[in-house]
Amino acid sequence: MAVLFSAIDWRAMSRQECDAGLNNGVAVAGSAEIVAGWERRSTKLRQQHPQHLDLRYGPRERNRIDFLKARDGAPTLLFIHGGYWQSRAKEVFTVVAEGPLAHGINVALIGYTLAPDATLDEIVGEIHAGVDFLAGQLPALGATAAGIVVSGWSAGGHLTSMALSNPHVRAGMAISGIYDLEPIRHSYLNEKLRLDEAMSQRNSPMMQQGGVAKPLSLVAGGAELPLLRKQTADFAGHRARHGLPVTYEEIAGADHFSVMNEMMAPQGRITTLIRQLFERTAR
C-alpha cells in the first residue's frame, strides 16, 4: 500500500535514513551513465548553436549564459541546472532545449558558482543577476523582450521558485525541486552548502508567508524518492493555500532522471506545460 505524504516526516528519520532519502544518484540505477548521455547529446546541440555561448553576466567563472535561438522574435525560456547546488554545469543540460526549440522557443541555460565556493544566498543572487542580464540582452539577440519563463530541475527547481520574484520573470516551470531546505540542512548535503537555520529559512519558499503571484507549474516523477515527491506536493499545497497560481502533477513511472525526458521531447508533458505557460502569460 502506498505511503501517504502526510506520514512522511524527515524529522523522525535517522541521519542515515534522511541521507538515503535525498540521494538520487544512489536511488536510480545507472544515473551516472544517464547524465553522461545527456552531456554527449548536449555537446552536439551546442555545436549546432555556437553563436551565443558563454555570455558573461558576472565576474565569477561560472557566471555565463548559453543562448540557443529558435527564430527571430521568439520568447525565451531560461533553464537552471541541478546538482544540489554543488555539482554539474550548464553544459550537461543543453539537451533539455530540444523540446522547447522544436516549438519556436529560445532556450538559455545559466551557470552559477557552486557550493562551497558560494553560499546559497550568493547563488540565488547570481541567478537574479543572470536574469537581469539576459533580459537586457534579448533585443540584441533577436528575441522578444516580453519577459522570461524560468525553468529548472532538482536544485534548479528550487532556484526557479526563488527567481519568480524577479520583475523580468513572467512564470516558472519547476521540476523535482526542493522547497524546504531544512531536510537538506540536516543531511550530508550540508557539508558543502553550510546552511545555518536563518539561511535555510530565507531561501525556503515553503517557509515564506505567501509568495509571488505569477504562474508556477510544479512537476515531479511518480517513481522519485518519497521525500522529494513530498517536497513538490507540499509546495503546491502551500501556494494553493495562499491563492497563488499553481499547477501540480506527477509523471507516472518517472524517476528523478527519466522525468527530464518529458522536457527533451517536443511532445513531452513538461514541454507542453512550458508552452502553456508562455500562452497564459502572453503580453
Side-chain angles (χ1 to χ4, degrees):
M1 186 169 67
V3 177
L4 296 174
F5 284 143
S6 58
I8 301 171
D9 184 0
W10 67 268
R11 295 170 184 83
M13 297 178 176
S14 68
R15 169 65 183 266
Q16 184 177 15
E17 290 170 333
C18 187
D19 285 354
L22 295 168
N23 196 328
N24 294 296
V26 170
V28 179
S31 59
E33 291 77 14
I34 293 168
V35 175
W38 293 352
E39 190 164 11
R40 288 191 295 271
R41 291 171 62 186
S42 292
T43 297
K44 293 180 180 178
L45 192 55
R46 284 166 61 83
Q47 290 170 349
Q48 295 167 17
H49 294 267
Q51 296 88 353
H52 307 293
L53 302 180
D54 289 321
L55 306 177
R56 181 169 286 284
Y57 70 85
R60 305 190 75 172
E61 175 59 29
R62 284 174 168 255
N63 293 165
R64 302 170 188 267
I65 290 174
D66 294 339
F67 181 83
L68 282 65
K69 187 172 181 179
R71 56 175 174 80
D72 284 332
T76 299
L77 176 79
L78 177 65
F79 182 82
I80 310 171
H81 73 80
Y84 274 136
W85 309 274
Q86 55 195 272
S87 66
R88 304 206 170 101
K90 63 179 172 60
E91 290 81 4
V92 174
F93 292 88
T94 314
V95 63
V96 304
E98 290 183 349
L101 283 173
H103 295 281
I105 298 169
N106 303 321
V107 179
L109 300 100
I110 186 170
Y112 52 91
T113 307
L114 303 178
D117 293 331
T119 66
L120 195 54
D121 285 334
E122 291 170 336
I123 291 170
V124 170
E126 287 186 0
I127 297 301
H128 279 280
V131 171
D132 291 342
F133 168 83
L134 180 61
Q137 293 297 307
L138 289 178
L141 292 167
T144 179
I148 296 164
V149 171
V150 175
S151 180
W153 168 77
S154 197
H158 163 265
L159 294 171
T160 293
S161 68
M162 298 298 288
L164 272 187
S165 62
N166 189 289
H168 300 297
V169 171
R170 60 201 249 192
M173 172 75 246
I175 308 159
S176 305
I178 304 290
Y179 310 104
D180 176 3
L181 296 173
E182 280 297 279
I184 303 296
R185 188 167 72 89
H186 289 86
S187 77
Y188 74 102
L189 295 163
N190 207 36
E191 293 172 11
K192 290 185 177 180
L193 279 174
R194 302 173 185 171
L195 294 169
D196 59 21
E197 185 175 5
M199 191 183 301
S200 171
Q201 292 198 2
R202 65 176 169 263
N203 288 291
S204 292
M206 280 286 293
M207 299 289 186
Q208 312 307 315
Q209 287 297 320
V212 181
K214 297 175 184 176
L216 178 65
S217 290
L218 298 169
V219 169
E224 296 205 49
L225 289 164
L227 272 181
L228 298 177
R229 290 172 58 213
K230 178 177 169 60
Q231 286 263 347
T232 298
D234 286 353
F235 188 41
H238 171 87
R239 286 187 62 85
R241 286 191 298 275
H242 287 90
L244 303 171
V246 64
T247 67
Y248 160 64
E249 62 186 83
E250 291 191 350
I251 305 297
D255 60 42
H256 193 66
F257 295 88
S258 63
V259 70
M260 292 306 292
N261 295 335
E262 298 298 318
M263 185 173 178
M264 299 173 192
Q267 303 307 318
R269 180 58 183 159
I270 294 174
T271 302
T272 298
L273 290 169
I274 289 168
R275 291 174 59 202
Q276 291 173 351
L277 284 171
F278 278 107
E279 292 166 0
R280 289 171 58 193
T281 58
R283 298 176 184 176

